[in-house]
Amino acid sequence: MAYELSTLNERKQKRREGIIRGAIVVIGQKGYNRTKIIDIAREANVADGTIYLYFDNKDDLLIKVFDETLEKRLNQLKEQIEPIEDKLERLDKFLLLHTDIYKEHPEELRFFALEARQSPEFYNRYPDFSPFSEYKKYVLELCKDAINSQKVRKLAPEVLANILLGTLEYNLVSWATGNLKLSIKNVIKQSIDIVHNGIVLDK
Amino acid sequence: MAYELSTLNERKQKRREGIIRGAIVVIGQKGYNRTKIIDIAREANVADGTIYLYFDNKDDLLIKVFDETLEKRLNQLKEQIEPIEDKLERLDKFLLLHTDIYKEHPEELRFFALEARQSPEFYNRYPDFSPFSEYKKYVLELCKDAINSQKVRKLAPEVLANILLGTLEYNLVSWATGNLKLSIKNVIKQSIDIVHNGIVLDK
Amino acid sequence: MAYELSTLNERKQKRREGIIRGAIVVIGQKGYNRTKIIDIAREANVADGTIYLYFDNKDDLLIKVFDETLEKRLNQLKEQIEPIEDKLERLDKFLLLHTDIYKEHPEELRFFALEARQSPEFYNRYPDFSPFSEYKKYVLELCKDAINSQKVRKLAPEVLANILLGTLEYNLVSWATGNLKLSIKNVIKQSIDIVHNGIVLDK
Amino acid sequence: MAYELSTLNERKQKRREGIIRGAIVVIGQKGYNRTKIIDIAREANVADGTIYLYFDNKDDLLIKVFDETLEKRLNQLKEQIEPIEDKLERLDKFLLLHTDIYKEHPEELRFFALEARQSPEFYNRYPDFSPFSEYKKYVLELCKDAINSQKVRKLAPEVLANILLGTLEYNLVSWATGNLKLSIKNVIKQSIDIVHNGIVLDK
DNA sequence: AATGAATGAGATTTCATTCAT
DNA sequence: GATGAATGAAATCTCATTCAT
């Protein structure tokens, strides 16, 4: 009995994940508004009615997909960065890892950067347009730490964080939409170099 | 007679501009998808049917508003930048002027940065998601010129352009959505300072 | 002054006729429902608003066009038939003249036979679907006269009238829509021959 | 399971037929253009959206209703006529059966004869205005056979077919719209008699 | 009298969501 | 739990008609 429940729950969990993956793929491709519930259902190999057993409505689906996937990616990043000692190196590593993740999941990139914000409920849920706030907070911490280390000029951390996040997002979106001439990894490395040069204490 | 015709055309021109302004305001506030034609019509003080005398359909309205307004702003920028001699100074001036323009027109900022891309037709019209390509081209030119002057390291121009555009857009959106703690003008100035430091030839 | 009024009225009359002609042409081509007021206006070289100076509304235009044109054609027919003495010959002549008229004005044929009845107001105005009643009455008279002459069997006049009108309309519509293999004039002549044979007293 | 599937399909079939019947009834009464989708939906006891599960759009509905119903009636006619040996009798029987069918379904008569052609798509689908071509072909065959039998004069079959079809349609429409003074069955019988007389070989 | 820009009522169609099976 | 047929609210767009010029 307990065993059966467990498999039932497992099956449900699998189904839920399938729907989330389907949502990211289809929305990443077609955009939120052009994506019909039935499209996501087909991608996930379920009936459209089934989605409503797992999510309240289309907006709820979008927001849960957004939050859960973002959290997963952030944890993945933190895990790999924590072991690193050097504060400045941590920042570099963050940028490179972020690039690697979305290079491998361009549909997620499109989903996060372009499409997710098209949900009407998004505005009610994130009235200040801050769905990435956890992400930003983390980068801000990394920047503060770097600045507090002896290697970097005494800059406003938010200024640095926004340069990094802006550069990262802009280049990744350009790449994902086929508008980047150079290799994305290379561009990020060169960008890191420029910013390094711009923030390190005069040697 | 000639005079009367002239006033008629002027009135039509005014009306067209009123609709464009109304579209930017309402879409900038509510987003493209939540904006109904009737909303724009009310903002512009016309009947909904009137909009269809000036634009083919909702998508056509959005794209024309986008293209025309962007072109207007770009010309405005070019006009003020052209007189400047120093290539590096030009780049700085661009960033500051761009900031000034959208600081004065935050509804346009929201419209351009967040909402316009939500039109289904946007994807057909700009399949590679490059509605800002004219804008980008211009910045790329400014970057090339700066790099070719003797003051800046031999960087890939696209890398520099993307740092600048990414930083600019990210900060402006943060500001427009109330997520910037510091003064936008100040942040841009400090960002310029960092990038300057990062790109100038070692003194 | 009187002269000027006269020319004014003449000009108005001309304009009215132009609109009627335009309506027949365009409606005959595109059908009532697909014809926009602006289409008729363009065909008649007037502004759409002008039509409302001469007709109450689209339905009123249709009905007036219908009634007036039909009356004109009926009078034209009567004029040519009246001189004929022989009652049976009159009937034949009617069929041939009717054919000639619409062979020369296929747009009127389409208008009368196919399109006019598509106006919503048509049903209110002719609740028993009898817009051609004057026409039918006349044919019925011709039939009665022919039957009362000594040459024709004592048939119910309505039966004969309906054979003639049905055959006439069916063949003309077939012809006007390109669905008649043979020559229309020939078909009508052969049809007359058959009906003659079917109604004359045994010789 | 198989049983359940079968009932589901049966239910869907029933619903489809209900919509078709509703369309014929309402369009036959009000005309195509005055008939709103919601009218048909109400007549068929479904929601308006439901109609779009079975038909692509209003035009598609009209055309499918037209084609399917016409085919059904033609098959019904053929079935009853085939057993008859005598070629001339077949022709008579056709006219009488056709009359019987539409006497029993006057709404179909109105639908076919008056309203169906009002759909815009009708023109694209039947550019030569020949939606009844199957029907006509069949009558033409009957006429040819009758003429080839030894009983009838060597007439052009199309001439005979058009007399019959024209007479039939004209009388039925007159009857259905309340404009026939005599009994429809009687009128058709008398018409048959006249045409018989007109086409048989001199005895 | 003529124009044609503006109006706004009204209809088709879509698609998120429900619920009977 | 899963399905997918059915629902019906809501939005775009059309076009007959009006009316200021």
Side-chain angles (χ1 to χ4, degrees):
Chain A
M1 187 79 161
Y3 173 75
E4 272 175 286
L5 273 174
S6 151
T7 40
L8 179 60
N9 283 341
E10 269 169 32
R11 225 184 307 148
K12 285 177 68 174
Q13 188 52 29
K14 274 262 177 293
R15 222 163 247 263
R16 195 175 185 285
E17 277 164 17
I19 293 169
I20 287 183
R21 177 84 347 226
I24 290 174
V25 169
V26 183
I27 295 175
Q29 275 166 13
K30 314 177 62 159
Y32 179 77
N33 283 292
R34 302 211 292 183
T35 297
K36 314 300 162 220
I37 287 290
I38 186 76
D39 297 330
I40 298 174
R42 278 193 194 121
E43 178 75 28
N45 283 317
V46 297
D48 45 4
T50 304
I51 289 179
Y52 289 85
L53 301 174
Y54 293 88
F55 301 93
D56 293 344
N57 51 49
K58 196 182 170 186
D59 275 329
D60 178 60
L61 168 60
L62 182 104
I63 287 170
K64 288 205 172 113
V65 170
F66 191 96
D67 286 350
E68 292 179 21
T69 309
L70 195 64
E71 197 192 350
K72 194 175 81 182
R73 293 300 175 210
L74 185 55
N75 287 337
Q76 190 180 336
L77 270 165
K78 284 182 176 171
E79 224 170 77
Q80 296 196 255
I81 281 171
E82 236 142 84
I84 301 170
E85 286 293 316
D86 185 87
K87 303 300 186 185
L88 194 50
E89 207 188 317
R90 277 183 161 211
L91 210 45
D92 300 347
K93 190 71 181 171
F94 170 85
L95 298 171
L96 293 171
L97 279 174
H98 180 111
T99 304
D100 286 340
I101 286 176
Y102 292 110
K103 223 184 131 183
E104 245 181 274
H105 302 285
E107 76 286 356
E108 271 184 32
L109 184 65
R110 280 194 72 95
F111 175 81
F112 280 125
L114 303 178
E115 302 307 338
R117 62 179 63 149
Q118 298 187 18
S119 149
E121 188 52 29
F122 218 71
Y123 290 90
N124 301 330
R125 176 136 166 103
Y126 305 114
D128 52 356
F129 194 74
S130 57
F132 295 98
S133 61
E134 281 309 308
Y135 220 87
K136 290 186 187 175
K137 257 188 234 166
Y138 184 61
V139 176
L140 204 56
E141 282 313 309
L142 293 178
C143 287
K144 276 184 192 161
D145 289 349
I147 289 166
N148 285 336
S149 79
Q150 303 300 346
K151 296 183 173 166
V152 173
R153 292 199 279 145
K154 289 288 167 233
L155 305 159
E158 197 181 11
V159 172
L160 178 56
N162 287 3
I163 289 177
L164 298 177
L165 283 167
T167 300
L168 203 51
E169 181 178 318
Y170 192 92
N171 277 302
L172 279 167
V173 169
S174 292
W175 167 78
T177 53
N179 290 300
L180 194 67
K181 301 280 185 303
L182 314 173
S183 124
I184 176 65
K185 205 63 189 286
N186 236 311
V187 169
I188 296 300
K189 279 181 185 163
Q190 292 181 45
S191 302
I192 289 174
D193 176 64
I194 291 174
V195 177
H196 258 220
N197 241 300
I199 62 174
V200 291
L201 283 169
D202 291 331
K203 304 123 266 183
Chain B
M1 186 82 162
Y3 173 74
E4 272 175 283
L5 276 173
S6 151
T7 40
L8 177 60
N9 283 339
E10 270 169 32
R11 226 179 308 144
K12 285 175 73 174
Q13 189 52 31
K14 274 260 178 298
R15 217 160 252 262
R16 194 174 186 284
E17 278 163 16
I19 293 169
I20 287 182
R21 178 89 341 233
I24 291 174
V25 169
V26 184
I27 294 175
Q29 274 166 15
K30 313 179 66 158
Y32 180 76
N33 284 290
R34 301 211 293 184
T35 296
K36 307 306 157 207
I37 286 290
I38 188 73
D39 299 328
I40 297 174
R42 279 196 193 118
E43 178 74 27
N45 281 317
V46 297
D48 47 3
T50 303
I51 290 180
Y52 291 88
L53 298 176
Y54 293 88
F55 302 94
D56 292 343
N57 50 50
K58 196 182 169 187
D59 274 329
D60 179 59
L61 168 60
L62 182 105
I63 285 170
K64 290 211 172 107
V65 169
F66 191 95
D67 285 350
E68 291 179 20
T69 310
L70 196 63
E71 197 193 350
K72 196 175 78 182
R73 293 301 176 210
L74 184 55
N75 287 336
Q76 191 180 337
L77 271 165
K78 284 180 177 175
E79 222 169 82
Q80 296 196 256
I81 282 171
E82 235 142 84
I84 300 169
E85 287 290 317
D86 186 86
K87 304 301 188 184
L88 195 50
E89 207 188 319
R90 275 180 164 216
L91 210 45
D92 299 350
K93 190 69 181 172
F94 171 85
L95 299 170
L96 294 170
L97 279 174
H98 182 111
T99 305
D100 286 341
I101 285 175
Y102 291 110
K103 223 184 130 182
E104 243 180 275
H105 302 285
E107 76 287 356
E108 274 184 30
L109 185 64
R110 281 194 71 96
F111 175 80
F112 281 124
L114 304 178
E115 302 307 337
R117 60 180 63 148
Q118 298 186 18
S119 149
E121 190 49 31
F122 218 72
Y123 290 90
N124 301 329
R125 178 141 165 95
Y126 305 114
D128 52 357
F129 195 75
S130 57
F132 295 98
S133 61
E134 281 308 308
Y135 221 89
K136 290 186 187 174
K137 258 188 236 167
Y138 185 60
V139 177
L140 205 55
E141 282 311 308
L142 293 179
C143 288
K144 276 181 191 163
D145 289 346
I147 289 166
N148 284 337
S149 79
Q150 305 298 351
K151 297 181 172 167
V152 173
R153 293 199 279 147
K154 291 290 167 231
L155 305 160
E158 198 182 12
V159 172
L160 178 57
N162 287 3
I163 290 177
L164 297 177
L165 283 167
T167 300
L168 203 51
E169 182 178 318
Y170 192 93
N171 277 303
L172 278 167
V173 169
S174 293
W175 167 77
T177 53
N179 290 299
L180 194 67
K181 302 281 184 302
L182 314 173
S183 126
I184 176 65
K185 205 65 186 285
N186 237 312
V187 169
I188 296 301
K189 279 181 185 162
Q190 291 181 45
S191 302
I192 290 174
D193 176 63
I194 291 174
V195 177
H196 257 221
N197 243 299
I199 62 174
V200 290
L201 283 169
D202 291 332
K203 304 119 267 183
Chain C
M1 189 80 163
Y3 173 75
E4 271 175 286
L5 273 174
S6 153
T7 40
L8 180 59
N9 283 338
E10 270 168 34
R11 224 184 306 147
K12 286 178 69 176
Q13 188 53 28
K14 273 260 179 295
R15 223 162 246 263
R16 195 174 185 282
E17 277 164 19
I19 293 169
I20 287 184
R21 178 82 347 224
I24 290 175
V25 169
V26 184
I27 295 175
Q29 275 165 14
K30 314 177 63 161
Y32 179 77
N33 283 291
R34 303 210 291 184
T35 297
K36 315 299 162 219
I37 287 289
I38 186 77
D39 298 329
I40 297 174
R42 277 192 196 124
E43 179 75 28
N45 283 316
V46 297
D48 45 4
T50 304
I51 289 179
Y52 289 85
L53 300 175
Y54 293 87
F55 302 94
D56 293 344
N57 51 50
K58 195 182 172 187
D59 275 329
D60 179 58
L61 168 60
L62 181 103
I63 286 169
K64 289 206 172 114
V65 170
F66 191 95
D67 286 349
E68 293 179 20
T69 309
L70 196 63
E71 197 193 349
K72 196 176 80 184
R73 292 303 175 206
L74 185 54
N75 288 335
Q76 191 180 336
L77 271 165
K78 284 181 178 174
E79 223 169 82
Q80 296 195 255
I81 281 171
E82 236 143 84
I84 300 170
E85 286 293 314
D86 186 88
K87 303 301 186 183
L88 195 50
E89 207 189 316
R90 278 182 162 214
L91 211 44
D92 298 350
K93 191 70 182 172
F94 171 85
L95 298 170
L96 294 170
L97 281 173
H98 182 112
T99 304
D100 286 340
I101 286 175
Y102 292 110
K103 223 184 130 180
E104 244 181 275
H105 302 284
E107 76 286 356
E108 272 183 31
L109 185 65
R110 280 195 72 96
F111 175 80
F112 280 124
L114 304 177
E115 302 307 336
R117 60 179 62 148
Q118 298 186 16
S119 148
E121 189 50 32
F122 218 71
Y123 290 90
N124 302 329
R125 176 138 166 100
Y126 305 114
D128 51 358
F129 194 72
S130 56
F132 295 98
S133 61
E134 281 308 308
Y135 221 87
K136 290 185 188 176
K137 258 188 234 165
Y138 183 61
V139 177
L140 205 54
E141 283 311 309
L142 294 179
C143 287
K144 276 182 193 163
D145 290 346
I147 290 167
N148 285 336
S149 80
Q150 302 301 348
K151 296 182 174 166
V152 175
R153 293 198 279 148
K154 290 290 167 231
L155 306 159
E158 199 182 9
V159 172
L160 179 55
N162 287 3
I163 289 178
L164 297 177
L165 284 167
T167 299
L168 203 53
E169 182 179 318
Y170 192 93
N171 277 302
L172 279 167
V173 169
S174 293
W175 168 77
T177 53
N179 289 300
L180 194 66
K181 302 280 183 304
L182 314 173
S183 125
I184 175 67
K185 204 64 186 289
N186 236 311
V187 169
I188 296 301
K189 280 181 186 163
Q190 292 181 45
S191 302
I192 289 174
D193 176 64
I194 290 174
V195 177
H196 258 220
N197 242 298
I199 63 173
V200 291
L201 282 170
D202 292 330
K203 301 124 270 182
Chain D
M1 187 80 162
Y3 172 74
E4 272 175 284
L5 275 174
S6 152
T7 41
L8 178 59
N9 283 340
E10 269 168 33
R11 226 180 308 145
K12 285 175 73 173
Q13 188 53 29
K14 274 261 178 296
R15 219 162 250 261
R16 195 173 186 284
E17 277 163 18
I19 293 169
I20 287 183
R21 178 91 336 235
I24 291 175
V25 169
V26 184
I27 295 176
Q29 274 166 15
K30 313 178 65 159
Y32 179 76
N33 284 289
R34 302 211 292 183
T35 297
K36 307 304 157 209
I37 286 292
I38 188 74
D39 299 328
I40 298 174
R42 277 194 194 121
E43 179 74 28
N45 281 318
V46 298
D48 45 4
T50 304
I51 290 180
Y52 290 87
L53 298 176
Y54 292 89
F55 302 94
D56 292 343
N57 50 50
K58 196 183 169 186
D59 273 329
D60 178 59
L61 168 60
L62 181 104
I63 285 170
K64 289 208 173 110
V65 170
F66 191 96
D67 286 349
E68 293 179 20
T69 309
L70 195 63
E71 197 193 352
K72 196 175 77 182
R73 293 301 176 209
L74 185 54
N75 288 337
Q76 192 180 335
L77 271 164
K78 284 181 178 173
E79 223 169 80
Q80 297 197 255
I81 281 172
E82 237 144 84
I84 300 171
E85 286 292 315
D86 186 85
K87 303 301 186 185
L88 195 51
E89 207 189 318
R90 276 183 162 212
L91 210 45
D92 299 348
K93 191 69 182 172
F94 172 85
L95 299 171
L96 294 170
L97 279 173
H98 181 111
T99 305
D100 286 341
I101 285 174
Y102 292 110
K103 224 185 128 181
E104 244 181 274
H105 301 285
E107 76 285 357
E108 273 184 31
L109 185 65
R110 283 193 71 96
F111 176 80
F112 281 124
L114 304 177
E115 303 307 336
R117 61 182 60 150
Q118 299 186 17
S119 148
E121 190 50 31
F122 217 72
Y123 290 90
N124 301 329
R125 176 136 165 98
Y126 305 115
D128 52 357
F129 195 74
S130 56
F132 295 99
S133 62
E134 282 309 308
Y135 221 88
K136 290 185 188 175
K137 257 188 235 165
Y138 185 60
V139 176
L140 205 55
E141 282 311 308
L142 293 179
C143 287
K144 276 181 193 163
D145 290 347
I147 290 167
N148 285 337
S149 79
Q150 303 298 348
K151 296 181 173 167
V152 174
R153 291 199 278 147
K154 290 288 167 234
L155 307 159
E158 198 182 10
V159 172
L160 179 56
N162 287 4
I163 290 177
L164 297 177
L165 284 166
T167 300
L168 204 52
E169 183 179 318
Y170 192 92
N171 277 302
L172 279 166
V173 168
S174 293
W175 167 78
T177 54
N179 289 301
L180 194 67
K181 301 282 185 302
L182 314 174
S183 125
I184 176 66
K185 204 63 186 287
N186 236 311
V187 169
I188 296 301
K189 279 180 186 165
Q190 292 181 44
S191 302
I192 291 175
D193 177 62
I194 291 175
V195 177
H196 257 220
N197 243 298
I199 62 174
V200 290
L201 282 170
D202 292 331
K203 303 122 268 183

